[in-house]
Amino acid sequence: SIFSWMSQFFIVLLFLLFIALLGYCLYVKYVHLKYDHIPGPPRDSFLFGHSSTLVEIMKRNGVVHDKFLEWTEIYGPAYRINLLHYVMVFVACPETTKEMLMSPKYTKDKFLRDKIANLFGQRFLGDGLVTIRDHDKWYKQRRIMDPAFSSLYLRGLMGNFNETAEKLMDKLSEIADNKTTANMLRLVNSVTMEIIEMFHANTQYTETVLKPKSTVLLSHTNIPEEIMTQEDEEFMLDNFVTFFIAGQETTANQLGFCIMELARHPEILKRARKEVDEVIGMKQDISYDDLGHLGYLSQVLKETLRIYPTAPGTSRDLVEDMVIGGVHVPKGVICIFSSYTMGRMEKFFKDPLKFDPDRFHPDAPKPYYCYFPFALGPRSCLGQNFAQMEAKVVMAKLIQRFDFTLPGQSFDILDNGTLRPKSGVVCSIRHRS
Ligand code: HEM
């Protein structure tokens, strides 16, 4: 009858599923055998590895990176975590960081980008420049984008940076007059949002990037006209989205943390203010050359990203066996590089939780592959200079005109993939006396 036929069918199906599951479990076991010599915390479960510890931290709005830091301190510069048949190795070894990030051989890993993007951050959705993995395709596109971030173009954006930051100053002026408080994180978010919109609308940029046959483009990149295709243009449109995600919040969050730390450290604020007064004085418009003279403010911004790297790390596929920090790591794992972890290790930065911009004094030794808030090497941040110019203009104007204090709030981090100040940095604002 049809019933016995169906029950037979289900029995066979169940049997096949059982075999498939068994096969998969054996494969997971094989993966464990292959990589378990790499030190690491005990697994929560055979199949799901360490994920329940991490999910639990995320559920209570904790910072997973603090767990990664703790594990690095316990298990050393190459430790392992598992999820299903995937193995991730967290690297806190400067030599390996140098070797893997500086070479195009180690491509961005597929797994983290495709499958659990939410676990480690959702900032790099889409098929834009951040997420593309194929080296040749990426290289071609990056060469097309580069001129839009050249110092020539960035110089031309100073007017926009000033104008947008000026709007924030108007709002702050009103807040100071009314003696109310300001959610600084929200306010700087509207600045970075407006700037990135402006950047997209900017005709020079549109011409450079979207009109492939423009002479500007060709002279800057030496790309023969005929290799620009319809597909390239679509790709560039994807990058609009990417730039929003990669560039807007990361910069706003950096500004938020920076304001938070300056409000917390009046002596550092005082030093930054002295420099701003010397370089800019009472001037309203900040010039490109002024930015070059704001050395201490640059140090403050760098130190902000050491403790609070708003895009905390990056990852690569290990395509060949390697010895990392004395541990033999067979190829096939995903290597995770965390500027958050390395930036907070006593081994690399003495008294790591102390906010001290002098670590980045021009005479101080440069951090050796243990500080990379914009990643490193060929896949490093394209918007780094853009972001730091923007941040400097906003900070310089703020310091020039206002006093700000934090009336009793937390300094906690909210980890949403990108890191941001949990409290929103609510400040009392006064006109400078
Ligand atoms: C403080 C602000 C910023 C921080 C901390 C930051 C950080 C980073 C990091 C860590 C990466 C590497 C990502 C990865 O390996 O997956 C990256 C890539 C990238 N960022 Fe930024 N970023 C910032 C601002 C910006 C801005 C303002 C833009 C654009 C206007 C931008 C555009 C990009 C692009 C296009 C890439 C991909 C580069 C490539 O792979 O060729 N970023 N950024």
Side-chain angles (χ1 to χ4, degrees):
S1 76
I2 181 114
F3 284 113
S4 74
W5 184 84
M6 269 179 68
S7 60
Q8 270 178 11
F9 174 77
F10 277 115
I11 288 167
V12 171
L13 193 70
L14 268 176
F15 180 73
L16 288 177
L17 276 175
F18 175 75
I19 296 291
L21 185 67
L22 192 71
Y24 184 68
C25 286
L26 282 172
Y27 178 57
V28 171
K29 183 71 198 164
Y30 160 79
V31 168
H32 289 175
L33 288 173
K34 183 168 172 192
Y35 296 104
D36 271 0
H37 66 280
I38 304 167
R43 273 185 286 276
D44 301 318
S45 81
F46 173 80
L47 269 185
F48 297 105
H50 301 81
S51 54
S52 72
T53 300
L54 301 178
V55 169
E56 191 262 318
I57 295 170
M58 283 182 272
K59 271 195 190 144
R60 61 173 157 83
N61 269 334
V63 180
V64 282
H65 302 276
D66 282 331
K67 193 47 135 186
F68 297 146
L69 173 61
E70 187 191 314
W71 281 340
T72 300
E73 301 281 14
I74 300 173
Y75 300 104
Y79 77 83
R80 162 193 49 82
I81 68 171
N82 301 83
L83 172 62
L84 301 171
H85 59 283
Y86 296 99
V87 177
M88 277 158 258
V89 172
F90 285 73
V91 177
C93 162
E95 282 70 30
T96 309
T97 305
K98 179 179 178 187
E99 184 168 352
M100 287 187 70
L101 293 189
M102 299 310 281
S103 159
K105 190 164 73 184
Y106 303 96
T107 50
K108 292 200 171 189
D109 73 282
K110 187 167 160 47
F111 173 68
L112 287 180
R113 271 146 232 286
D114 293 357
K115 295 214 176 62
I116 52 165
N118 289 325
L119 191 70
F120 291 94
Q122 31 150 304
R123 64 190 187 275
F124 300 135
L125 300 178
D127 264 333
L129 201 52
V130 174
T131 22
I132 192 162
R133 294 177 61 243
D134 180 85
H135 178 76
D136 294 341
K137 275 194 201 153
W138 161 80
Y139 183 67
K140 192 171 135 200
Q141 304 301 343
R142 173 111 182 192
R143 279 206 310 174
I144 295 165
M145 287 300 189
D146 272 338
F149 291 89
S150 67
S151 55
L152 184 73
Y153 279 104
L154 293 182
R155 232 173 223 280
L157 294 179
M158 280 307 290
N160 299 96
F161 288 149
N162 271 293
E163 198 184 304
T164 316
E166 217 45 61
K167 287 188 200 161
L168 170 65
M169 298 307 129
D170 290 345
K171 279 187 212 158
L172 290 176
S173 193
E174 216 171 278
I175 291 167
D177 290 342
N178 297 334
K179 298 193 164 54
T180 49
T181 53
N183 182 314
M184 293 305 279
L185 184 62
R186 206 171 55 219
L187 289 171
V188 293
N189 256 296
S190 54
V191 176
T192 58
M193 183 71 86
E194 196 176 326
I195 288 185
I196 209 103
E197 274 166 8
M198 166 280 295
F199 181 62
H200 288 168
N202 185 299
T203 48
Q204 271 186 330
Y205 169 78
T206 311
E207 266 183 29
T208 320
V209 176
L210 286 184
K211 286 191 186 158
K213 294 196 167 109
S214 94
T215 46
V216 189
L217 171 75
L218 297 177
S219 65
H220 273 83
T221 59
N222 304 320
I223 293 179
E225 283 179 36
E226 57 275 15
I227 68 167
M228 288 294 302
T229 61
Q230 179 68 34
E231 188 191 314
D232 294 335
E233 291 194 34
E234 279 166 16
F235 175 94
M236 287 178 231
L237 286 166
D238 273 354
N239 272 318
F240 281 168
V241 181
T242 295
F243 285 9
F244 256 106
I245 292 162
Q248 189 269 320
E249 244 191 34
T250 42
T251 315
N253 295 342
Q254 180 192 17
L255 283 165
F257 282 121
C258 186
I259 295 165
M260 182 180 103
E261 287 295 335
L262 286 181
R264 229 173 158 185
H265 296 94
E267 68 298 346
I268 296 174
L269 175 58
K270 202 169 147 196
R271 231 174 113 183
R273 176 163 287 155
K274 186 161 171 283
E275 180 185 72
V276 168
D277 286 347
E278 278 163 19
V279 177
I280 307 173
M282 308 283 278
K283 241 182 7 176
Q284 208 181 44
D285 267 348
I286 300 174
S287 73
Y288 184 78
D289 294 328
D290 291 336
L291 295 185
H293 295 120
L294 294 171
Y296 188 66
L297 185 56
S298 299
Q299 288 172 228
V300 169
L301 286 166
K302 284 181 184 164
E303 176 68 346
T304 303
L305 288 179
R306 179 184 67 82
I307 306 188
Y308 310 101
T310 52
T314 185
S315 50
R316 297 288 184 275
D317 276 332
L318 186 66
V319 292
E320 54 190 40
D321 294 11
M322 199 186 270
V323 175
I324 305 177
V327 183
H328 174 79
V329 182
K331 70 178 176 192
V333 306
I334 299 158
C335 287
I336 314 271
F337 302 87
S338 165
S339 197
Y340 185 95
T341 296
M342 290 179 94
R344 286 172 175 241
M345 287 175 74
E346 178 78 37
K347 186 172 162 193
F348 302 118
F349 297 94
K350 201 173 164 300
D351 200 359
L353 295 184
K354 183 173 172 218
F355 187 82
D356 178 10
D358 281 330
R359 297 178 202 270
F360 292 97
H361 190 278
D363 298 338
K366 297 250 174 315
Y368 185 78
Y369 296 95
C370 53
Y371 172 80
F372 43 92
F374 296 98
L376 288 169
R379 297 303 298 265
S380 63
C381 179
L382 178 55
Q384 174 169 359
N385 292 338
F386 180 101
Q388 295 317 280
M389 284 172 66
E390 177 184 358
K392 263 191 188 176
V393 170
V394 172
M395 287 310 299
K397 284 183 195 277
L398 177 69
I399 292 170
Q400 180 191 38
R401 305 193 202 163
F402 298 99
D403 268 318
F404 42 94
T405 46
L406 294 166
Q409 58 140 30
S410 87
F411 300 103
D412 293 346
I413 297 172
L414 180 66
D415 179 0
N416 270 353
T418 58
L419 306 183
R420 70 182 67 174
K422 201 178 226 164
S423 67
V425 194
V426 178
C427 285
S428 305
I429 307 283
R430 275 158 286 111
H431 292 285
R432 227 180 116 182
S433 42

mmCIF file with all atom_site columns, all heavy atoms in Angstrom, residues 163-183:
data_model
loop_
_atom_site.group_PDB
_atom_site.id
_atom_site.type_symbol
_atom_site.label_atom_id
_atom_site.label_alt_id
_atom_site.label_comp_id
_atom_site.label_asym_id
_atom_site.label_entity_id
_atom_site.label_seq_id
_atom_site.pdbx_PDB_ins_code
_atom_site.Cartn_x
_atom_site.Cartn_y
_atom_site.Cartn_z
_atom_site.occupancy
_atom_site.B_iso_or_equiv
_atom_site.pdbx_formal_charge
_atom_site.auth_seq_id
_atom_site.auth_comp_id
_atom_site.auth_asym_id
_atom_site.auth_atom_id
_atom_site.pdbx_PDB_model_num
ATOM 1   N N   . GLU A 1 163 ? 32.651 72.829 6.304  1.00 0.00 ? 163 GLU A N   1
ATOM 2   C CA  . GLU A 1 163 ? 31.247 73.245 6.285  1.00 0.00 ? 163 GLU A CA  1
ATOM 3   C C   . GLU A 1 163 ? 30.384 72.317 7.143  1.00 0.00 ? 163 GLU A C   1
ATOM 4   O O   . GLU A 1 163 ? 29.562 72.765 7.941  1.00 0.00 ? 163 GLU A O   1
ATOM 5   C CB  . GLU A 1 163 ? 30.791 73.175 4.830  1.00 0.00 ? 163 GLU A CB  1
ATOM 6   C CG  . GLU A 1 163 ? 29.551 73.935 4.497  1.00 0.00 ? 163 GLU A CG  1
ATOM 7   C CD  . GLU A 1 163 ? 29.186 73.683 3.028  1.00 0.00 ? 163 GLU A CD  1
ATOM 8   O OE1 . GLU A 1 163 ? 30.051 73.940 2.148  1.00 0.00 ? 163 GLU A OE1 1
ATOM 9   O OE2 . GLU A 1 163 ? 28.085 73.180 2.790  1.00 0.00 ? 163 GLU A OE2 1
ATOM 10  N N   . THR A 1 164 ? 30.610 71.018 6.983  1.00 0.00 ? 164 THR A N   1
ATOM 11  C CA  . THR A 1 164 ? 29.803 70.055 7.724  1.00 0.00 ? 164 THR A CA  1
ATOM 12  C C   . THR A 1 164 ? 30.091 70.136 9.221  1.00 0.00 ? 164 THR A C   1
ATOM 13  O O   . THR A 1 164 ? 29.183 70.093 10.044 1.00 0.00 ? 164 THR A O   1
ATOM 14  C CB  . THR A 1 164 ? 30.063 68.620 7.201  1.00 0.00 ? 164 THR A CB  1
ATOM 15  O OG1 . THR A 1 164 ? 30.071 68.665 5.785  1.00 0.00 ? 164 THR A OG1 1
ATOM 16  C CG2 . THR A 1 164 ? 29.000 67.667 7.673  1.00 0.00 ? 164 THR A CG2 1
ATOM 17  N N   . ALA A 1 165 ? 31.375 70.254 9.568  1.00 0.00 ? 165 ALA A N   1
ATOM 18  C CA  . ALA A 1 165 ? 31.742 70.345 10.982 1.00 0.00 ? 165 ALA A CA  1
ATOM 19  C C   . ALA A 1 165 ? 31.178 71.633 11.589 1.00 0.00 ? 165 ALA A C   1
ATOM 20  O O   . ALA A 1 165 ? 30.796 71.662 12.764 1.00 0.00 ? 165 ALA A O   1
ATOM 21  C CB  . ALA A 1 165 ? 33.256 70.303 11.141 1.00 0.00 ? 165 ALA A CB  1
ATOM 22  N N   . GLU A 1 166 ? 31.110 72.668 10.770 1.00 0.00 ? 166 GLU A N   1
ATOM 23  C CA  . GLU A 1 166 ? 30.579 73.956 11.248 1.00 0.00 ? 166 GLU A CA  1
ATOM 24  C C   . GLU A 1 166 ? 29.109 73.812 11.682 1.00 0.00 ? 166 GLU A C   1
ATOM 25  O O   . GLU A 1 166 ? 28.685 74.423 12.654 1.00 0.00 ? 166 GLU A O   1
ATOM 26  C CB  . GLU A 1 166 ? 30.737 74.978 10.122 1.00 0.00 ? 166 GLU A CB  1
ATOM 27  C CG  . GLU A 1 166 ? 31.085 76.377 10.527 1.00 0.00 ? 166 GLU A CG  1
ATOM 28  C CD  . GLU A 1 166 ? 32.174 76.511 11.579 1.00 0.00 ? 166 GLU A CD  1
ATOM 29  O OE1 . GLU A 1 166 ? 33.336 76.089 11.367 1.00 0.00 ? 166 GLU A OE1 1
ATOM 30  O OE2 . GLU A 1 166 ? 31.844 77.051 12.647 1.00 0.00 ? 166 GLU A OE2 1
ATOM 31  N N   . LYS A 1 167 ? 28.365 72.993 10.964 1.00 0.00 ? 167 LYS A N   1
ATOM 32  C CA  . LYS A 1 167 ? 26.968 72.769 11.349 1.00 0.00 ? 167 LYS A CA  1
ATOM 33  C C   . LYS A 1 167 ? 26.876 72.145 12.736 1.00 0.00 ? 167 LYS A C   1
ATOM 34  O O   . LYS A 1 167 ? 26.001 72.485 13.529 1.00 0.00 ? 167 LYS A O   1
ATOM 35  C CB  . LYS A 1 167 ? 26.273 71.846 10.334 1.00 0.00 ? 167 LYS A CB  1
ATOM 36  C CG  . LYS A 1 167 ? 25.980 72.521 9.021  1.00 0.00 ? 167 LYS A CG  1
ATOM 37  C CD  . LYS A 1 167 ? 25.131 71.604 8.148  1.00 0.00 ? 167 LYS A CD  1
ATOM 38  C CE  . LYS A 1 167 ? 25.225 72.028 6.692  1.00 0.00 ? 167 LYS A CE  1
ATOM 39  N NZ  . LYS A 1 167 ? 24.818 70.951 5.777  1.00 0.00 ? 167 LYS A NZ  1
ATOM 40  N N   . LEU A 1 168 ? 27.797 71.231 13.007 1.00 0.00 ? 168 LEU A N   1
ATOM 41  C CA  . LEU A 1 168 ? 27.830 70.620 14.339 1.00 0.00 ? 168 LEU A CA  1
ATOM 42  C C   . LEU A 1 168 ? 28.135 71.691 15.391 1.00 0.00 ? 168 LEU A C   1
ATOM 43  O O   . LEU A 1 168 ? 27.522 71.726 16.460 1.00 0.00 ? 168 LEU A O   1
ATOM 44  C CB  . LEU A 1 168 ? 28.879 69.501 14.391 1.00 0.00 ? 168 LEU A CB  1
ATOM 45  C CG  . LEU A 1 168 ? 29.199 68.941 15.774 1.00 0.00 ? 168 LEU A CG  1
ATOM 46  C CD1 . LEU A 1 168 ? 27.986 68.243 16.380 1.00 0.00 ? 168 LEU A CD1 1
ATOM 47  C CD2 . LEU A 1 168 ? 30.367 67.956 15.719 1.00 0.00 ? 168 LEU A CD2 1
ATOM 48  N N   . MET A 1 169 ? 29.063 72.592 15.065 1.00 0.00 ? 169 MET A N   1
ATOM 49  C CA  . MET A 1 169 ? 29.419 73.644 16.024 1.00 0.00 ? 169 MET A CA  1
ATOM 50  C C   . MET A 1 169 ? 28.217 74.540 16.317 1.00 0.00 ? 169 MET A C   1
ATOM 51  O O   . MET A 1 169 ? 28.007 74.952 17.452 1.00 0.00 ? 169 MET A O   1
ATOM 52  C CB  . MET A 1 169 ? 30.589 74.491 15.492 1.00 0.00 ? 169 MET A CB  1
ATOM 53  C CG  . MET A 1 169 ? 31.868 73.702 15.283 1.00 0.00 ? 169 MET A CG  1
ATOM 54  S SD  . MET A 1 169 ? 32.403 72.770 16.739 1.00 0.00 ? 169 MET A SD  1
ATOM 55  C CE  . MET A 1 169 ? 32.631 71.143 16.029 1.00 0.00 ? 169 MET A CE  1
ATOM 56  N N   . ASP A 1 170 ? 27.407 74.801 15.285 1.00 0.00 ? 170 ASP A N   1
ATOM 57  C CA  . ASP A 1 170 ? 26.196 75.601 15.496 1.00 0.00 ? 170 ASP A CA  1
ATOM 58  C C   . ASP A 1 170 ? 25.260 74.917 16.483 1.00 0.00 ? 170 ASP A C   1
ATOM 59  O O   . ASP A 1 170 ? 24.720 75.540 17.393 1.00 0.00 ? 170 ASP A O   1
ATOM 60  C CB  . ASP A 1 170 ? 25.461 75.830 14.165 1.00 0.00 ? 170 ASP A CB  1
ATOM 61  C CG  . ASP A 1 170 ? 26.244 76.772 13.241 1.00 0.00 ? 170 ASP A CG  1
ATOM 62  O OD1 . ASP A 1 170 ? 27.182 77.441 13.744 1.00 0.00 ? 170 ASP A OD1 1
ATOM 63  O OD2 . ASP A 1 170 ? 25.939 76.817 12.034 1.00 0.00 ? 170 ASP A OD2 1
ATOM 64  N N   . LYS A 1 171 ? 25.098 73.594 16.270 1.00 0.00 ? 171 LYS A N   1
ATOM 65  C CA  . LYS A 1 171 ? 24.220 72.860 17.181 1.00 0.00 ? 171 LYS A CA  1
ATOM 66  C C   . LYS A 1 171 ? 24.764 72.902 18.602 1.00 0.00 ? 171 LYS A C   1
ATOM 67  O O   . LYS A 1 171 ? 24.019 73.101 19.560 1.00 0.00 ? 171 LYS A O   1
ATOM 68  C CB  . LYS A 1 171 ? 24.125 71.387 16.742 1.00 0.00 ? 171 LYS A CB  1
ATOM 69  C CG  . LYS A 1 171 ? 23.150 71.145 15.600 1.00 0.00 ? 171 LYS A CG  1
ATOM 70  C CD  . LYS A 1 171 ? 23.007 69.644 15.368 1.00 0.00 ? 171 LYS A CD  1
ATOM 71  C CE  . LYS A 1 171 ? 22.739 69.353 13.899 1.00 0.00 ? 171 LYS A CE  1
ATOM 72  N NZ  . LYS A 1 171 ? 23.083 67.996 13.499 1.00 0.00 ? 171 LYS A NZ  1
ATOM 73  N N   . LEU A 1 172 ? 26.079 72.719 18.724 1.00 0.00 ? 172 LEU A N   1
ATOM 74  C CA  . LEU A 1 172 ? 26.687 72.693 20.059 1.00 0.00 ? 172 LEU A CA  1
ATOM 75  C C   . LEU A 1 172 ? 26.571 74.057 20.729 1.00 0.00 ? 172 LEU A C   1
ATOM 76  O O   . LEU A 1 172 ? 26.385 74.163 21.943 1.00 0.00 ? 172 LEU A O   1
ATOM 77  C CB  . LEU A 1 172 ? 28.157 72.264 19.972 1.00 0.00 ? 172 LEU A CB  1
ATOM 78  C CG  . LEU A 1 172 ? 28.383 70.796 19.606 1.00 0.00 ? 172 LEU A CG  1
ATOM 79  C CD1 . LEU A 1 172 ? 29.873 70.513 19.453 1.00 0.00 ? 172 LEU A CD1 1
ATOM 80  C CD2 . LEU A 1 172 ? 27.785 69.870 20.664 1.00 0.00 ? 172 LEU A CD2 1
ATOM 81  N N   . SER A 1 173 ? 26.663 75.090 19.922 1.00 0.00 ? 173 SER A N   1
ATOM 82  C CA  . SER A 1 173 ? 26.558 76.443 20.440 1.00 0.00 ? 173 SER A CA  1
ATOM 83  C C   . SER A 1 173 ? 25.169 76.643 21.074 1.00 0.00 ? 173 SER A C   1
ATOM 84  O O   . SER A 1 173 ? 25.036 77.193 22.168 1.00 0.00 ? 173 SER A O   1
ATOM 85  C CB  . SER A 1 173 ? 26.773 77.405 19.286 1.00 0.00 ? 173 SER A CB  1
ATOM 86  O OG  . SER A 1 173 ? 26.980 78.682 19.762 1.00 0.00 ? 173 SER A OG  1
ATOM 87  N N   . GLU A 1 174 ? 24.183 76.150 20.361 1.00 0.00 ? 174 GLU A N   1
ATOM 88  C CA  . GLU A 1 174 ? 22.811 76.241 20.865 1.00 0.00 ? 174 GLU A CA  1
ATOM 89  C C   . GLU A 1 174 ? 22.668 75.456 22.175 1.00 0.00 ? 174 GLU A C   1
ATOM 90  O O   . GLU A 1 174 ? 22.075 75.939 23.144 1.00 0.00 ? 174 GLU A O   1
ATOM 91  C CB  . GLU A 1 174 ? 21.888 75.617 19.824 1.00 0.00 ? 174 GLU A CB  1
ATOM 92  C CG  . GLU A 1 174 ? 20.537 76.287 19.678 1.00 0.00 ? 174 GLU A CG  1
ATOM 93  C CD  . GLU A 1 174 ? 19.832 75.694 18.469 1.00 0.00 ? 174 GLU A CD  1
ATOM 94  O OE1 . GLU A 1 174 ? 20.114 76.133 17.328 1.00 0.00 ? 174 GLU A OE1 1
ATOM 95  O OE2 . GLU A 1 174 ? 19.043 74.756 18.678 1.00 0.00 ? 174 GLU A OE2 1
ATOM 96  N N   . ILE A 1 175 ? 23.249 74.264 22.184 1.00 0.00 ? 175 ILE A N   1
ATOM 97  C CA  . ILE A 1 175 ? 23.176 73.421 23.381 1.00 0.00 ? 175 ILE A CA  1
ATOM 98  C C   . ILE A 1 175 ? 23.872 74.118 24.560 1.00 0.00 ? 175 ILE A C   1
ATOM 99  O O   . ILE A 1 175 ? 23.376 74.126 25.683 1.00 0.00 ? 175 ILE A O   1
ATOM 100 C CB  . ILE A 1 175 ? 23.794 72.034 23.100 1.00 0.00 ? 175 ILE A CB  1
ATOM 101 C CG1 . ILE A 1 175 ? 22.884 71.266 22.134 1.00 0.00 ? 175 ILE A CG1 1
ATOM 102 C CG2 . ILE A 1 175 ? 23.987 71.236 24.392 1.00 0.00 ? 175 ILE A CG2 1
ATOM 103 C CD1 . ILE A 1 175 ? 23.503 70.022 21.529 1.00 0.00 ? 175 ILE A CD1 1
ATOM 104 N N   . ALA A 1 176 ? 25.001 74.747 24.275 1.00 0.00 ? 176 ALA A N   1
ATOM 105 C CA  . ALA A 1 176 ? 25.727 75.455 25.333 1.00 0.00 ? 176 ALA A CA  1
ATOM 106 C C   . ALA A 1 176 ? 24.902 76.639 25.846 1.00 0.00 ? 176 ALA A C   1
ATOM 107 O O   . ALA A 1 176 ? 24.834 76.889 27.056 1.00 0.00 ? 176 ALA A O   1
ATOM 108 C CB  . ALA A 1 176 ? 27.078 75.930 24.811 1.00 0.00 ? 176 ALA A CB  1
ATOM 109 N N   . ASP A 1 177 ? 24.261 77.344 24.928 1.00 0.00 ? 177 ASP A N   1
ATOM 110 C CA  . ASP A 1 177 ? 23.410 78.483 25.337 1.00 0.00 ? 177 ASP A CA  1
ATOM 111 C C   . ASP A 1 177 ? 22.273 78.014 26.244 1.00 0.00 ? 177 ASP A C   1
ATOM 112 O O   . ASP A 1 177 ? 21.947 78.650 27.232 1.00 0.00 ? 177 ASP A O   1
ATOM 113 C CB  . ASP A 1 177 ? 22.805 79.172 24.104 1.00 0.00 ? 177 ASP A CB  1
ATOM 114 C CG  . ASP A 1 177 ? 23.872 79.910 23.296 1.00 0.00 ? 177 ASP A CG  1
ATOM 115 O OD1 . ASP A 1 177 ? 24.960 80.176 23.864 1.00 0.00 ? 177 ASP A OD1 1
ATOM 116 O OD2 . ASP A 1 177 ? 23.626 80.193 22.105 1.00 0.00 ? 177 ASP A OD2 1
ATOM 117 N N   . ASN A 1 178 ? 21.683 76.882 25.854 1.00 0.00 ? 178 ASN A N   1
ATOM 118 C CA  . ASN A 1 178 ? 20.529 76.379 26.615 1.00 0.00 ? 178 ASN A CA  1
ATOM 119 C C   . ASN A 1 178 ? 20.931 75.573 27.843 1.00 0.00 ? 178 ASN A C   1
ATOM 120 O O   . ASN A 1 178 ? 20.078 75.087 28.574 1.00 0.00 ? 178 ASN A O   1
ATOM 121 C CB  . ASN A 1 178 ? 19.654 75.485 25.729 1.00 0.00 ? 178 ASN A CB  1
ATOM 122 C CG  . ASN A 1 178 ? 19.063 76.258 24.577 1.00 0.00 ? 178 ASN A CG  1
ATOM 123 O OD1 . ASN A 1 178 ? 18.882 77.474 24.684 1.00 0.00 ? 178 ASN A OD1 1
ATOM 124 N ND2 . ASN A 1 178 ? 18.792 75.579 23.473 1.00 0.00 ? 178 ASN A ND2 1
ATOM 125 N N   . LYS A 1 179 ? 22.239 75.407 28.010 1.00 0.00 ? 179 LYS A N   1
ATOM 126 C CA  . LYS A 1 179 ? 22.760 74.638 29.159 1.00 0.00 ? 179 LYS A CA  1
ATOM 127 C C   . LYS A 1 179 ? 22.158 73.240 29.251 1.00 0.00 ? 179 LYS A C   1
ATOM 128 O O   . LYS A 1 179 ? 21.865 72.740 30.330 1.00 0.00 ? 179 LYS A O   1
ATOM 129 C CB  . LYS A 1 179 ? 22.536 75.403 30.464 1.00 0.00 ? 179 LYS A CB  1
ATOM 130 C CG  . LYS A 1 179 ? 23.256 76.740 30.506 1.00 0.00 ? 179 LYS A CG  1
ATOM 131 C CD  . LYS A 1 179 ? 23.282 77.308 31.915 1.00 0.00 ? 179 LYS A CD  1
ATOM 132 C CE  . LYS A 1 179 ? 24.297 78.418 32.095 1.00 0.00 ? 179 LYS A CE  1
ATOM 133 N NZ  . LYS A 1 179 ? 24.175 79.520 31.138 1.00 0.00 ? 179 LYS A NZ  1
ATOM 134 N N   . THR A 1 180 ? 21.899 72.618 28.107 1.00 0.00 ? 180 THR A N   1
ATOM 135 C CA  . THR A 1 180 ? 21.431 71.229 28.108 1.00 0.00 ? 180 THR A CA  1
ATOM 136 C C   . THR A 1 180 ? 22.631 70.315 27.828 1.00 0.00 ? 180 THR A C   1
ATOM 137 O O   . THR A 1 180 ? 23.745 70.800 27.629 1.00 0.00 ? 180 THR A O   1
ATOM 138 C CB  . THR A 1 180 ? 20.343 70.985 27.033 1.00 0.00 ? 180 THR A CB  1
ATOM 139 O OG1 . THR A 1 180 ? 20.797 71.524 25.807 1.00 0.00 ? 180 THR A OG1 1
ATOM 140 C CG2 . THR A 1 180 ? 19.034 71.614 27.445 1.00 0.00 ? 180 THR A CG2 1
ATOM 141 N N   . THR A 1 181 ? 22.387 69.010 27.797 1.00 0.00 ? 181 THR A N   1
ATOM 142 C CA  . THR A 1 181 ? 23.487 68.092 27.495 1.00 0.00 ? 181 THR A CA  1
ATOM 143 C C   . THR A 1 181 ? 23.382 67.619 26.045 1.00 0.00 ? 181 THR A C   1
ATOM 144 O O   . THR A 1 181 ? 22.330 67.708 25.418 1.00 0.00 ? 181 THR A O   1
ATOM 145 C CB  . THR A 1 181 ? 23.449 66.858 28.417 1.00 0.00 ? 181 THR A CB  1
ATOM 146 O OG1 . THR A 1 181 ? 22.158 66.287 28.346 1.00 0.00 ? 181 THR A OG1 1
ATOM 147 C CG2 . THR A 1 181 ? 23.797 67.223 29.843 1.00 0.00 ? 181 THR A CG2 1
ATOM 148 N N   . ALA A 1 182 ? 24.502 67.112 25.543 1.00 0.00 ? 182 ALA A N   1
ATOM 149 C CA  . ALA A 1 182 ? 24.544 66.690 24.144 1.00 0.00 ? 182 ALA A CA  1
ATOM 150 C C   . ALA A 1 182 ? 24.959 65.224 24.064 1.00 0.00 ? 182 ALA A C   1
ATOM 151 O O   . ALA A 1 182 ? 25.955 64.829 24.675 1.00 0.00 ? 182 ALA A O   1
ATOM 152 C CB  . ALA A 1 182 ? 25.554 67.542 23.389 1.00 0.00 ? 182 ALA A CB  1
ATOM 153 N N   . ASN A 1 183 ? 24.223 64.432 23.319 1.00 0.00 ? 183 ASN A N   1
ATOM 154 C CA  . ASN A 1 183 ? 24.661 63.071 23.006 1.00 0.00 ? 183 ASN A CA  1
ATOM 155 C C   . ASN A 1 183 ? 25.668 63.183 21.864 1.00 0.00 ? 183 ASN A C   1
ATOM 156 O O   . ASN A 1 183 ? 25.306 63.277 20.697 1.00 0.00 ? 183 ASN A O   1
ATOM 157 C CB  . ASN A 1 183 ? 23.465 62.201 22.609 1.00 0.00 ? 183 ASN A CB  1
ATOM 158 C CG  . ASN A 1 183 ? 23.873 60.766 22.334 1.00 0.00 ? 183 ASN A CG  1
ATOM 159 O OD1 . ASN A 1 183 ? 24.863 60.521 21.640 1.00 0.00 ? 183 ASN A OD1 1
ATOM 160 N ND2 . ASN A 1 183 ? 23.127 59.816 22.871 1.00 0.00 ? 183 ASN A ND2 1
#
